[in-house]
């Protein structure tokens, strides 16, 4: 099965947690992408660095409806692996 390639932009602090510390394992997006398991994601680090840092393969995708209850359940599952503050997500 062919894989697809997605380019995302992340803030430097999150890029560091993805590639250096390896503590950020979950990426949350407001708009659903068409990424699937096995796809490749290239990471562009936004200002002030403005550079491509690396890439990773998607292990799995969790898709939820945008209801408040669904989002709260998703947050419980991923909050320790995404490094976002609750106020940024909910």
């Amino acid at each position: 099965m062919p894989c697809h390639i997605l380019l995302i932009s992340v803030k430097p602090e999150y890029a560091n947690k993805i590639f250096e510390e390896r503590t950020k394992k979950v990426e949350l997006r407001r708009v659903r992408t068409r990424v699937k398991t096995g796809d490749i994601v290239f990471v562009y680090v936004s200002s002030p660095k403005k550079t491509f840092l690396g890439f990773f393969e998607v292990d799995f995708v969790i898709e939820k409806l945008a209801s408040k209850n669904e989002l709260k359940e998703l947050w419980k599952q991923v909050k320790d692996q995404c490094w976002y503050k609750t106020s940024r997500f909910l």
Side-chain angles (χ1 to χ4, degrees):
M1 174 170 85
C3 74
H4 295 95
I5 297 174
L6 176 71
L7 171 64
I8 63 171
S9 176
V10 299
K11 294 181 179 183
E13 64 185 287
Y14 298 128
N16 184 54
K17 292 187 182 309
I18 293 169
F19 293 107
E20 298 298 322
E21 297 174 19
R22 297 188 182 272
T23 55
K24 184 171 178 4
K25 306 283 185 182
V26 173
E27 178 60 23
L28 301 172
R29 293 277 142 170
R30 290 184 190 271
V31 176
R32 192 212 182 293
T33 63
R34 293 184 177 163
V35 68
K36 293 181 174 47
T37 301
D39 287 352
I40 303 297
V41 177
F42 282 89
V43 178
Y44 173 79
V45 183
S46 61
S47 185
K49 295 198 176 197
K50 298 181 181 178
T51 187
F52 287 98
L53 186 60
F55 65 94
F56 58 87
E57 183 177 337
V58 176
D59 287 334
F60 60 92
V61 176
I62 300 172
E63 188 174 349
K64 296 285 184 181
L65 299 174
S67 73
K68 198 70 162 171
N69 287 338
E70 290 279 339
L71 293 178
K72 284 182 182 179
E73 282 301 312
L74 176 62
W75 182 250
K76 287 178 189 176
Q77 293 175 20
V78 303
K79 66 181 178 180
D80 295 330
Q81 299 174 353
C82 71
W83 286 93
Y84 295 133
K85 294 183 172 114
T86 304
S87 60
R88 186 167 186 257
F89 179 69
L90 294 175

